[in-house]
Each structure stands twice: as C-alpha cells, then as structure tokens.
Amino acid sequence: MDWAQLWEIASEPDNVPIVALLFLVPFYTFYAFRQAFANDRLIGQLEANPAMAKTHHRKVQPWKPGWDREIHVWPFLLRMEFLAAIIVTLILMIWSITLNAPLEEPSNPTLTMNPAKAPWYFLGLQEMLVYFDPWMAGVVLPTLILVGLMAIPYLDANPLGNGYYTFKQRKFAIMAFVFGFLVLWLSMVIIGTFIRGPGWMWFWPGQTWDHNRLIFEANRDLPDIFHITSAPGKGIFGAIVVGLYTILMATFFHKLFTLTPFNRRIYKRMSLIQYVTLQLFLIIMMTLPVKILIRQLFRIKYVWITPWFNI
Amino acid sequence: MPEDLKDQNSGKKGLTALLEEVREEVKVLKEKAAEDVKTLKDPEKTQLYKSIFRVKHDDKPRSRALGVLSNVFLHLHPAKINRDAVAYNYTWGMGGITFYLFIVLTFTGALLMFYYHPSKVQAFRDILYLEHDVPFGKLLRNMHRWAAHLMIITVWLHMFRVFLTGSYKKPREFNWAVGVILMLLTMLLSFTGYLLPDDQLGFWAVTVGTNMARATPLLGHEGPFGAQLGMTPYNDVRFGLLGGSIVDSNALLRSYIWHCIAIPLIAATFMAVHFWRVRKDGGISGPSPVMLESEIKEERKF
C-alpha cells in the first residue's frame, strides 16, 4: 500500500470537494431516507385506518388544532437564511485561509500533463471516454443526460410524493435517479479522481502511480469473437446485437413498470409518447453500465462497427 | 428732547422686550431640542427612517408582512410560509446557499478582474502578482475557487433534494427544467474559469475538454458525418469555441468573456425566472400533507 500517494491525492486542494462529497452525499442520502421512511410509516398507518386519515393533519411534524399552518417569513425564515449565510461565509473563510488554490507551471503546449484530468465535476464524462467514442461520451450522452433530466417531470406519471419525502410511493423513480446520480455519475467522478492514474490507467487506491506501466490488454470487438471480418457483416451483426439489447432492456423495464398493482396503475396513466420516451432514456442510460461491464469483464471495446461510427 | 426720551424709553423698553423675546425663543428651542431628543430615542418616528424603511419595526403581523413585501431585497419571499418549511431538514437550504455563493463569486470575481489581463503575456504573471503582492490577493483567489467548487456541490445536492421530495411534479415541471439549465450554466462557469490562470492545469483540462468537441456529430471534424459535411480543424465547432485550432490567446480571451460577462448574464436571467417561478408556482413545495394511493384522481383524457 502506498499510503503516501493516497494521502497526496486525497489532500490535493482541488480534490477536497470530492472528499467532501464522500461525506456529504451519504449524509444527505441518509437524512432524506430517514424522513422518507418516517413518512412511509405514517402513510401505512393512514392507509390502514381510514377514520384516522380523515382527521389526521398528515405530516410527521407535530401540529395541533389552533396552531397556524403558516408563519411569518420575518423573522422565522430570514433569520435562518442569515444564519446560513454566516455559516457558509465562515466555512469559505477557513477553507480559503487553510488551503491554497492550485497553480501549476505556466501553460506549455509542448509538455503534456499525465494524467491530464478535466475539472473534477467533468471527470464522469472523461471516464465515459473509456467506454464510448468521444462523439458519444463527450457530446451525445451529456446532451441526453441534460435533456433526460429536463424531461423527468413530463415522464413521471405518478402523482404521489409531491412535496414530501417518500420511498414507498415512488420506488421506481427514486431507484432510477439514485442509480443514475449516485451509482453512475458520482462513482465515475470518484473513479476518475482516485483510481485513474497516468495514461488514464486503472490504479487501485494505494497502488503507486507508475508512469512507465504498460498494460498488455488487447481490447477486442464483439464481431471479432464471432469471427466476423467483413465490414458489412460487422455493421449488420452490430445492428442485430444492439437491436437485441434494446428489446431485452425494453422487456426488462416493461416488466418493472408492470411489476406491482401500483406500478400497473401508474403505467395505465402514461401516454404512449411518455412510455416510449421513458423507455428510450432508460435504455440509453443502461448502455453505460453494460459497456462498463463488458469492457471490464470481457475486454470488449466495440459492439457495433460501421464506417461512420462505432459503439 | 421728549421725543428723544420717548425714543430712549422705547429703546430701553425694546431692549428688555428683546431680551424677553430671546428668552422665549430659547425656551421654545429648548423644548424643541427636548422633543428632538425624545424622537431620536425612538428613531422609527424620524422622517429619515420612515423615508427609507416605510414600515414600523415591531412584531405586529402587518408590520412583519410589510417589512418583507416592501423591501426590494426581501420581496422574493412571500409574507408567510409553511410552518414546517423553515426547519432545515426539508430543503437543506441548498438552493439559497447556491444563490448566496453566486453572490460571493460575483463579488470576489469583480475584485479579481481589477488585477487580471486576459492575455497570454500577462495572465499567468497576474496570478503570481495576485498571490504574492496584492494585499489579501491569495485569500481572494482562494475564496473564488473554493466558492465555485462548493457551488457545484450545493447545486447537485439541491437537485437531489428536489427530486427526492418530488418537487418537480405538477405544477413545478417547467421550473425543474430551468433548474437543469442553471446547473449546466454553473458547470460551464466553473469550466471557463479553469483556463484563466493560464497554467498547465487549466490548459490541459480545457484541451481535453474541447478535444471532445472535435467529435461532435455533424459539426466536428472527427465526429460522425463531420468529414462528409466538409468539417476541418479550421471551421468546425471546436474552432468556434477556441477561436483557433489550438488553445491559445484567442481561447483565453473567449473563455474570459464567457466567464465574466456572457454566462453570468445568462445565468442571472435564468435565476430571475427560476425564483419568480418558485413564487408563481405556489411557493415552496412542502412539507405538504401526504397523499394516499386511494386518493389518486383519474386523469382526464382528451
């Protein structure tokens, strides 16, 4: 174990935000889910007891008849905002006094940095470059991530869970988002920071970054395994495989959409456009973990090879 | 003579009368001063206070509401708010903190602009000057950098919270989309700022980042169908971003203008819409009463 190097990476001032994320994200996830489960218990009680559902104020927060449901912004909200501003200022002051912003040598186009890393919040995209060609990882997928995020409100046909934490009433939506945000996006940021070394090679935490390291791994393409050599053959074969993957994934998600009676009820509320768009975004999202797996387990680089693009 | 005497007499009389008058006036002055002192003890009654603040500072509901509504900086708030929404556990304060960090960044950024020239000759030297000679220059630069990083974290956590509370659902769908654009703008602001010190770190990060633009489908010279459409390194989308085929002085200037003028203005516009829509879409989304599965209304089909 090369503890010195691990410490060097973790304590690098520009990596402090990622180390902070390692603590902040689990904390806030816990914080949210604790409230979600508390609300779920209340929902369970109310569903079991319709009489109680008629009279209960339907929040876990205490409330008694006669209490105001709304309070004055001045002072109750403004003092919180003022306090938050002071605390954030203090944190920033201490952070800025103790840690210096990095400044390397003057820019030099003839001296390549190795590893040349993007800013930490774009490391997810840089990590995707390993699994996809630049036009996919750098342009198409980021665009789809943004469009997909913006489309969420129009694709989610579930009217429950509007304005309160819950897990029980929105299992599919929450699991999909947590998978995309925590499992895919944040873990790729963390891999990009802690695991990727010189040459963007995989170094386990604690493994010394060796600038002369060579990895003799021959990446294969899926058609090679089936001994398909002609260009049209590869194109047609890839199209078939991608088509099969799409059908398989679509079936899988359709099974999830119709898994429970509640899911089926939401499914019935969806229009055809909503259903098809949601399927499309989910299937494209799943290409990332699938490509990560076939790359890391079977060293397969491309599935679909055409003269114009490779996937 | 008698006239003179009369005059003298009247003159004497005039003198005493004058004295009397002065005494009277002094008395009035004293009274006024006492009154002024009294009102100064209660500054809310002064014309100065009233002209600035308009509203009394007391705990009457009317004064509290007007205190928020009649203040240009506070009027983004409603007068009253859901009693459970002010607790930290619902919103985590992430949206507000993000906005506060934007203000901090605008302030420190404007100060940094006093010491920075966006040219290949000067840029790196300006950072050295800032770090070693400008009073508090190092603190200024550090604060700008760390606030930028913190802002990205708070934006992500804000989005996470809004998703987990289902706050993007009706009627707030559009505001979520505005929020996604603001997240993109935040990251672009941070990214364009990365190049400005003109050091190896920024140079290679931006080189790696903009190299992806070569591969833009249709618009990049290495992207699918780019070559077929006549894209070369000298006319594709990357050339447009950098103002050249490599990261050089034009790229530095472009990055500077995007970072200091264009994106902040665009972001400020979107922020105005975002905050406006928070209010117009019914204020903060919760904590609202839980809804039960049996209460789902069937949607109207058209």
Side-chain angles (χ1 to χ4, degrees):
Chain A
M1 280 298 272
D2 190 346
W3 290 104
Q5 184 193 260
L6 194 61
W7 172 246
E8 211 174 277
I9 299 171
S11 66
E12 201 176 289
D14 242 10
N15 288 345
V16 169
I18 305 158
V19 179
L21 270 181
L22 282 179
F23 294 98
L24 284 173
V25 169
F27 169 73
Y28 279 111
T29 311
F30 155 78
Y31 203 34
F33 274 88
R34 197 179 61 160
Q35 294 179 69
F37 293 140
N39 278 330
D40 288 349
R41 279 192 295 276
L42 177 68
I43 290 165
Q45 282 175 350
L46 295 179
E47 271 169 350
N49 188 347
M52 184 184 170
K54 269 181 193 157
T55 55
H56 196 274
H57 70 283
R58 299 196 166 200
K59 289 188 194 181
V60 285
Q61 287 89 348
W63 191 75
K64 280 180 187 158
W67 284 11
D68 292 328
R69 284 185 192 275
E70 291 197 316
I71 52 173
H72 278 285
V73 160
W74 170 255
F76 299 107
L77 176 62
L78 288 175
R79 69 178 178 198
M80 287 287 283
E81 292 180 345
F82 187 52
L83 197 64
I86 290 173
I87 292 170
V88 171
T89 312
L90 263 178
I91 292 172
L92 269 181
M93 274 285 175
I94 294 168
W95 191 355
S96 306
I97 290 169
T98 49
L99 290 174
N100 286 327
L103 185 68
E104 306 272 338
E105 307 274 298
S107 69
N108 184 352
T110 58
L111 187 71
T112 314
M113 295 261 284
N114 192 9
K117 288 192 181 182
W120 60 271
Y121 40 85
F122 282 139
L123 283 181
L125 300 184
Q126 205 177 349
E127 177 67 15
M128 286 202 299
L129 277 173
V130 176
Y131 310 105
F132 290 103
D133 275 356
W135 68 274
M136 274 287 275
V139 187
V140 174
L141 287 178
T143 311
L144 285 177
I145 290 172
L146 288 170
V147 176
L149 279 173
M150 287 200 269
I152 286 176
Y154 306 100
L155 301 179
D156 187 350
N158 180 358
L160 297 181
N162 185 347
Y164 52 91
Y165 291 97
T166 174
F167 178 63
K168 193 168 99 171
Q169 294 182 331
R170 297 175 56 211
K171 272 183 190 160
F172 183 81
I174 286 176
M175 283 195 290
F177 192 82
V178 163
F179 181 75
F181 178 61
L182 298 187
V183 179
L184 290 183
W185 183 252
L186 286 183
S187 68
M188 284 205 310
V189 168
I190 287 160
I191 287 171
T193 310
F194 289 100
I195 309 260
R196 293 299 181 177
W200 210 254
M201 281 187 271
W202 187 283
F203 290 89
W204 290 105
Q207 199 180 342
T208 311
W209 283 10
D210 177 4
H211 283 258
N212 299 316
R213 182 179 175 206
L214 290 173
I215 298 179
F216 295 100
E217 62 178 20
N219 283 318
R220 307 169 288 182
D221 298 328
L222 194 63
D224 298 343
I225 295 174
F226 293 92
H227 305 291
I228 297 165
T229 47
S230 70
K234 282 182 179 180
I236 293 163
F237 174 77
I240 292 169
V241 173
V242 171
L244 278 177
Y245 160 81
T246 308
I247 292 166
L248 206 74
M249 271 296 157
T251 320
F252 169 70
F253 282 119
H254 186 84
K255 279 263 167 5
L256 277 186
F257 293 161
T258 53
L259 191 66
T260 66
F262 177 68
N263 285 9
R264 281 194 287 278
R265 207 169 156 194
I266 302 303
Y267 167 69
K268 272 190 197 139
R269 291 168 67 87
M270 292 173 85
S271 71
L272 188 65
I273 297 176
Q274 276 179 321
Y275 177 80
V276 172
T277 322
L278 182 60
Q279 278 278 18
L280 202 70
F281 279 119
L282 288 170
I283 289 167
I284 294 171
M285 180 172 91
M286 290 310 288
T287 57
L288 181 60
V290 166
K291 280 220 76 174
I292 292 177
L293 281 178
I294 61 170
R295 180 64 176 273
Q296 301 290 7
L297 294 179
F298 307 112
R299 292 184 282 113
I300 292 169
K301 191 167 186 204
Y302 293 126
V303 171
W304 189 6
I305 298 167
T306 72
W308 311 282
F309 62 86
N310 300 325
I311 293 175
Chain B
M1 285 301 280
E3 277 180 346
D4 285 340
L5 270 170
K6 249 187 187 174
D7 279 343
Q8 271 182 350
N9 276 343
S10 67
K12 270 186 185 175
K13 232 184 182 179
L15 209 68
T16 46
L18 203 70
L19 265 172
E20 281 294 300
E21 242 172 67
V22 168
R23 275 199 198 110
E24 275 299 308
E25 280 191 16
V26 168
K27 214 174 164 186
V28 172
L29 265 179
K30 268 188 180 169
E31 274 167 18
K32 274 193 173 169
E35 228 169 86
D36 280 358
V37 169
K38 222 189 257 173
T39 51
L40 280 180
K41 279 181 186 163
D42 192 3
E44 283 179 42
K45 284 189 177 142
T46 58
Q47 189 190 2
L48 185 69
Y49 179 92
K50 282 186 193 165
S51 72
I52 298 173
F53 296 107
R54 300 286 181 217
V55 186
K56 269 192 227 157
H57 177 78
D58 56 25
D59 61 3
K60 289 196 188 97
R62 180 184 147 80
S63 306
R64 282 185 167 174
L66 284 176
V68 173
L69 297 181
S70 63
N71 183 309
V72 68
F73 300 108
L74 302 182
H75 87 286
L76 278 174
H77 299 89
K80 282 182 149 193
I81 191 172
N82 182 345
R83 69 176 298 128
D84 301 312
V86 295
Y88 182 75
N89 61 6
Y90 183 71
T91 67
W92 312 343
M94 284 304 162
I97 291 173
T98 305
F99 180 50
Y100 178 65
L101 287 170
F102 182 78
I103 294 169
V104 169
L105 284 161
T106 310
F107 183 68
T108 53
L111 290 179
L112 285 170
M113 282 170 81
F114 280 113
Y115 297 98
Y116 180 81
H117 305 79
S119 74
K120 276 302 237 195
V121 182
Q122 273 281 41
F124 188 77
R125 292 173 198 196
D126 282 338
I127 308 298
L128 292 182
Y129 178 58
L130 201 67
E131 292 216 326
H132 300 289
D133 292 315
V134 177
F136 299 106
K138 201 170 213 174
L139 185 70
L140 196 61
R141 179 164 120 81
N142 289 350
M143 254 188 121
H144 194 71
R145 180 136 189 146
W146 302 141
H149 283 186
L150 193 59
M151 188 171 163
I152 288 177
I153 296 181
T154 56
V155 165
W156 287 1
L157 288 175
H158 178 56
M159 188 178 73
F160 193 40
R161 187 288 286 179
V162 170
F163 186 90
L164 290 177
T165 54
S167 305
Y168 59 82
K169 298 191 180 195
K170 237 181 229 174
R172 297 180 180 79
E173 304 100 314
F174 178 66
N175 216 15
W176 164 273
V178 174
V180 172
I181 291 170
L182 277 170
M183 178 187 71
L184 170 71
L185 289 172
T186 308
M187 288 161 75
L188 287 180
L189 268 173
S190 201
F191 186 66
T192 49
Y194 223 69
L195 182 67
L196 297 183
D198 196 29
D199 64 342
Q200 282 283 70
L201 195 68
F203 178 85
W204 287 105
V206 170
T207 302
V208 168
T210 50
N211 270 349
M212 290 192 205
R214 288 172 202 251
T216 312
L218 311 179
L219 295 175
H221 69 277
E222 284 175 8
F225 309 112
Q228 286 87 337
L229 286 170
M231 290 297 156
T232 68
Y234 306 101
N235 66 0
D236 68 348
V237 64
R238 178 171 173 273
F239 189 91
L241 288 174
L242 294 177
S245 58
I246 53 164
V247 180
D248 204 19
S249 53
N250 280 347
L252 191 62
L253 185 61
R254 284 191 186 200
S255 166
Y256 178 74
I257 291 165
W258 281 114
H259 185 74
C260 302
I261 299 167
I263 305 180
L265 282 179
I266 299 169
T269 312
F270 273 94
M271 257 185 268
V273 176
H274 198 60
F275 300 160
W276 169 262
R277 287 302 293 255
V278 170
R279 287 291 305 281
K280 292 295 146 183
D281 294 342
I284 191 146
S285 62
S288 53
V290 298
M291 197 175 143
L292 304 183
E293 202 191 313
S294 53
E295 291 159 352
I296 299 178
K297 286 186 195 117
E298 287 314 316
E299 254 180 324
R300 275 180 298 164
K301 299 266 182 209
F302 292 101

